[in-house]
Structures are given as C-alpha cells and as structure tokens.
C-alpha cells in the first residue's frame, strides 16, 4: 500500500463491503417491477431510479464521512431534530419497513411452491413466526453464523442474479425481445421522475447515513490516516459499490422489460423474478430462487435487528439490547403478515416524508464548510423541506383526495414540491446568518 492509499485489491474489497451493506434481497424487487410497469419508458424510469437508488446513497456515504457521524450532521439543524430524525431513520430501515419486508419478500418467493388448497394466510403466519424466531436467535449471537451466511448467500445471490438476468440480456442484445407495451401507472406520466421517486423505496439513502462512519473506520484500519486520503478512498469505495448496484439494477429492469407484456398487472418484483426464473429454468429455477432469497433475507433481517437493537439500547440503556431485539422481531412479525404489497404501499408516504429531509441533509453535508459559515441555512432549508414533505405525506396516507395550498408549489405535481421551499430556505438562512453576524 502506498502512503495514504489503498491497493487496488483493498479498494475492491472495501467497495464490495459497502455494496453488501446496501444490497439486501429487498433491493431486488423494485427494478423488475419498474421494467414491467414502465414498459416502453423503462430507460428514462431506470435513469431516474439510478439517481435515488445509487447516486444519492453514494453521496450520503461521502457526506457523512465529511461531516462526522449522522448525529453530528443532523445536530447542525438542532439537537432535538437530530434525535428524532435519526430514530426515524432506524425505525424505517428497521421494524417499520425493511425488517418486515425481508420476511414478506422471502415468503413471496416460496408461495409458488405451496400446494394447491392451502391457506396462504395461515402458511404466511407460520412462516413469519419461524423466520423471526430464527432471526432473533441469530441476532443474539450473530458473529460466526452471520459471517458464514454472508459468505454463502452473498456470492450465491450474485450468481442467481446473473442466471436470471443473462437470458433477458441475450434476448435484448439479439433483438429477440418483443416490443414492450406502453407504460402504465405510475410511469404513464413523467417516467423519469417516477423512477426517481421509486428509488426512495430502496431506503439506501437513509441507510447510507449510518454506513459512512463504518466505511471510513474500515479504511483507517487498513492504514490510511490522513483525512484527505480517507475521503478519496471513501469516494472510490462508493464508486465501486455504485457500479455494482447500477449493473444489477439495470439488468433486473431489463428482466421486467422482457416480461412487461406477459406480466401486465404485476404488483411486486418478487413475482417478476420468480416468473423469469421459472420461464428460463423451470421448477428448478423457482426452487433455487426461493432458497437463495430465504437465506439472503434471513441474513439481512438478522443484521437489521442487531443494528437497530444496538442503537436503541445505547439511546435508552435502561432497556437491554435483548429486549429491544425481541420487541423489534415481534413487531416486525406482525407487520410482515399484512403482505408485501401492503408493506410497499405503506412505505411510499413514510419514505416521501423522510427522503427530502435526507436529501437536503446530504446536500448540506457535501458543502458543509460553506453551510457552516452561514449556520442558519441548516434549520431553514431542512425545516421548510421537512414541513412540505411531511404534510404532503400525511395527506397522501390518510386523505389522498384533499387539496392543500402546497399543491400549488412548483414541481408539486411531480412529487417534488419540497425542492423550491428548500431553495428558499437556503437563501433565507444565508440572509439571517449574515444579519445576525452584522448585528
């Protein structure tokens, strides 16, 4: 290793580590559905998806590495905001969405193998109880077994993706793919913007706010000590992870595009991947997909229970880690039984509330020196973006037909009504900071 630099192999290892931290089985279900629903508009929809599903998470890693921990970044707005926002991030990537989604996704892959006549609801309940009981047990002693699962499921999952994607890529490259139908809702309007909004559901930007410090510490452990060197290696790791994610997301979108006509009306990407594997490899493909997803989801679930339990045990030390982990497992088990479609539908308003705030924080983190020179920018920009996004999301969740004054904001019809208020917040913060300085 050169002074202050990692070797090429070390960079690949760090980048692959970051990729594995981001990429769980849940990430597989979004691009195929995008391809099915976007149809002829798959390309612009995928580009929009790349921005929020790949670009912003990589920038989130860099922003946190520049500014410190996520708490230090959010403290620039206000300490109370920091506690609430970071807790909300952990709940979103934990028991409210991501953890239940692991069980629901795994079950969706197993469902086609169920014999006819069985009650899907009863089987789902039994499966989820067993799934979360095992995940909780592993979270109590995660070290050796989760490392073993990671070594098995990581490479196996990549091989599975390649096996599923390659036939569709060959069909596309050789011109054998049938013409895709016209896009359907929600991609029948501005497909690129809808792809951008769909990228929220990866939750990777929120996760990146907790990953940056980990990656920076790994780089330090490899011998890089200078801040400039750490930042360079963090950026290169993000580039490696970003290339891997874009390759996989793009390939899976092609799988959906390939089946757009045959699977019109599909409601989740798990069914799309299963259909593709079955089409190309028969029943064996379905079995392999189900097995790999089960192992991958179990590994991700264990890691998330452990991560969230550790955070809240540190925040509220009177409640031990074991109790937090058990509570998250039980709660997630209950949520998972509403089904994958319902979880994905619930995720939209919640992530629409959190993501604009996270985007503004990341943008501020990337320019933290300039923003710190005019500190009022932080609460003004984040506050205005947060108010608009939260109010809009609450309305969309509980009273979707109600008109609000904020609907008249520029870009509101595209789901981006928070952009102009955030920009106004930046200008107001600059003016207020300078006025206070001059007073």
């Amino acid at each position: 290793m050169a002074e202050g630099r990692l070797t090429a192999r070390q960079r690949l290892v760090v980048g692959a580590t970051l990729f594995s931290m981001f990429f769980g089985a849940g990430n597989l279900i979004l691009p195929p559905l995008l391809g099915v629903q976007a149809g002829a508009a798959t390309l612009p929809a995928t580009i929009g998806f790349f921005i929020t599903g790949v670009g912003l998470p990589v920038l989130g890693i860099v922003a946190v590495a520049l500014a410190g921990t996520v708490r230090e970044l959010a403290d620039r707005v206000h300490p109370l905001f920091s506690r609430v926002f970071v807790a909300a991030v952990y709940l979103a990537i934990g028991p409210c969405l991501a953890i239940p989604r692991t069980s629901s996704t795994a079950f969706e892959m197993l469902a086609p193998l169920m014999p006819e006549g069985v009650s899907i609801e009863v089987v789902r309940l039994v499966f989820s109880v067993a799934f979360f009981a095992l995940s909780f047990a592993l979270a109590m002693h995660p070290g050796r077994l989760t490392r073993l699962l990671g070594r098995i499921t990581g490479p196996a999952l990549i091989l599975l993706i390649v096996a599923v994607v390659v036939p569709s890529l060959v069909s596309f490259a050789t011109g054998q793919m049938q013409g895709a139908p016209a896009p359907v809702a929600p991609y029948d309007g501005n497909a690129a913007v809808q792809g951008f909004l769909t990228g929220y559901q990866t939750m990777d930007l929120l996760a990146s706010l907790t990953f940056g410090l980990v990656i920076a510490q790994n780089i330090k452990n490899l011998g890089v000590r200078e801040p400039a060197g750490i930042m360079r290696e963090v950026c290169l790791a993000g580039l490696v992870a970003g290339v891997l994610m874009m390759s996989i997301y793009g390939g899976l979108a092609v799988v959906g595009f390939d089946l757009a006509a045959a699977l019109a009306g599909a409601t989740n990407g798990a069914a799309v991947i299963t259909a593709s594997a079955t089409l190309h490899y028969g029943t064996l493909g379905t079995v392999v997909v189900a097995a790999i997803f089960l192992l991958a989801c179990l590994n991700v679930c264990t890691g998330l229970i452990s991560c969230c339990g550790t955070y809240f045990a540190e925040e509220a030390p009177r409640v031990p880690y074991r109790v937090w982990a058990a509570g998250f497992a039980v709660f997630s088990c209950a949520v998972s039984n509403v089904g994958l479609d319902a979880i994905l539908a619930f995720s939209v308003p919640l992530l629409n509330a959190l993501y604009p705030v996270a985007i503004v924080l990341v943008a501020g983190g990337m320019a933290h020196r300039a923003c710190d020179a005019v500190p009022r920018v932080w609460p003004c920009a984040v506050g205005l973006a947060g108010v608009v996004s939260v109010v809009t999301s609450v309305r969309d969740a509980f009273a979707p037909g109600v008109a609000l004054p904020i609907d008249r904001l520029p870009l509101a019809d595209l789901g981006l009504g928070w952009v102009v208020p955030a920009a106004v917040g930046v200008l107001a913060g600059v003016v207020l900071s300078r006025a206070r300085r001059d007073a």
Side-chain angles (χ1 to χ4, degrees), residues 4-6 14 61-62 65-66 212-213 215-221 223-237:
R5 293 176 180 270
L6 299 180
V14 174
I61 290 288
V62 176
L66 281 169
L213 186 63
I215 292 299
Q217 187 59 51
N218 286 343
I219 292 170
K220 289 180 184 178
N221 293 340
V224 180
R225 295 287 186 265
E226 294 296 323
I230 293 172
M231 272 307 308
R232 179 181 59 251
E233 299 301 340
V234 167
C235 292
L236 290 173

Side-chain angles (χ1 to χ4, degrees), residues 103 107 119-132 333-334 336-337:
S103 174
F107 182 77
S119 171
I120 293 297
E121 289 74 19
V122 172
V123 176
R124 179 187 286 116
L125 176 61
V126 173
F127 172 84
S128 64
V129 170
F131 181 91
F132 283 107
C333 180
S336 70
N337 279 277

Side-chain angles (χ1 to χ4, degrees), residues 130-362:
F131 181 91
F132 283 107
L134 181 56
S135 294
F136 171 74
L138 294 176
M140 293 300 97
H141 306 283
R144 182 179 303 175
L145 191 51
T146 50
R147 283 197 298 270
L148 176 62
L149 287 173
R151 290 171 185 167
I152 294 173
T153 60
L157 191 57
I158 296 297
L159 290 175
L160 167 68
I161 295 167
V162 171
V164 172
V165 166
V166 165
S168 295
L169 291 178
V170 170
S171 296
F172 182 78
T174 57
Q176 300 176 22
M177 194 173 288
Q178 298 179 357
V184 300
Y187 297 95
D188 52 349
N190 191 317
V193 172
Q194 184 56 47
F196 180 94
L197 297 176
T198 299
Y200 288 4
Q201 296 181 52
T202 65
M203 293 182 274
D204 283 343
L205 174 58
L206 302 182
S208 75
L209 298 177
T210 67
F211 291 166
L213 186 63
V214 175
I215 292 299
Q217 187 59 51
N218 286 343
I219 292 170
K220 289 180 184 178
N221 293 340
L222 291 172
V224 180
R225 295 287 186 265
E226 294 296 323
I230 293 172
M231 272 307 308
R232 179 181 59 251
E233 299 301 340
V234 167
C235 292
L236 290 173
L239 180 62
V240 172
V243 169
L244 288 172
M245 288 193 290
M246 287 183 67
S247 300
I248 290 175
Y249 287 152
L252 290 171
V254 171
V255 170
F257 178 84
D258 187 20
L259 297 174
L263 294 181
T267 57
N268 69 72
V272 179
I273 295 176
T274 300
S276 180
T278 304
L279 174 66
H280 296 297
Y281 302 107
T283 303
L284 176 62
T286 306
V287 173
V288 172
V289 167
I292 296 299
F293 263 72
L294 176 61
L295 289 174
C297 289
L298 183 65
N299 203 28
V300 171
C301 182
T302 301
L304 289 174
I305 289 176
S306 178
C307 175
C308 294
T310 299
Y311 173 78
F312 283 99
E314 292 174 351
E315 286 293 298
R318 292 186 178 181
V319 181
Y321 165 79
R322 182 180 294 270
V323 175
W324 280 112
F328 290 148
V330 172
F331 180 83
S332 299
C333 180
V335 173
S336 70
N337 279 277
V338 304
L340 182 58
D341 290 350
I343 292 173
L344 294 177
F346 170 73
S347 72
V348 172
L350 177 59
L351 296 175
N352 283 348
L354 289 175
Y355 248 73
V357 175
I359 291 171
V360 175
L361 275 177
V362 167

Side-chain angles (χ1 to χ4, degrees), residues 65-148:
L66 281 169
T69 67
V70 62
R71 287 292 294 269
E72 291 172 340
L73 180 61
D75 277 344
R76 288 168 161 86
V77 179
H78 191 277
L80 178 60
F81 164 81
S82 178
R83 293 181 69 90
V84 172
F85 176 74
V86 175
V89 167
Y90 273 98
L91 290 174
I93 66 173
C96 290
L97 291 178
I99 295 178
R101 193 168 71 178
T102 60
S103 174
S104 296
T105 301
F107 182 77
E108 287 290 335
M109 309 309 286
L110 289 171
L113 302 175
M114 296 293 106
E116 294 184 7
V118 301
S119 171
I120 293 297
E121 289 74 19
V122 172
V123 176
R124 179 187 286 116
L125 176 61
V126 173
F127 172 84
S128 64
V129 170
F131 181 91
F132 283 107
L134 181 56
S135 294
F136 171 74
L138 294 176
M140 293 300 97
H141 306 283
R144 182 179 303 175
L145 191 51
T146 50
R147 283 197 298 270
L148 176 62

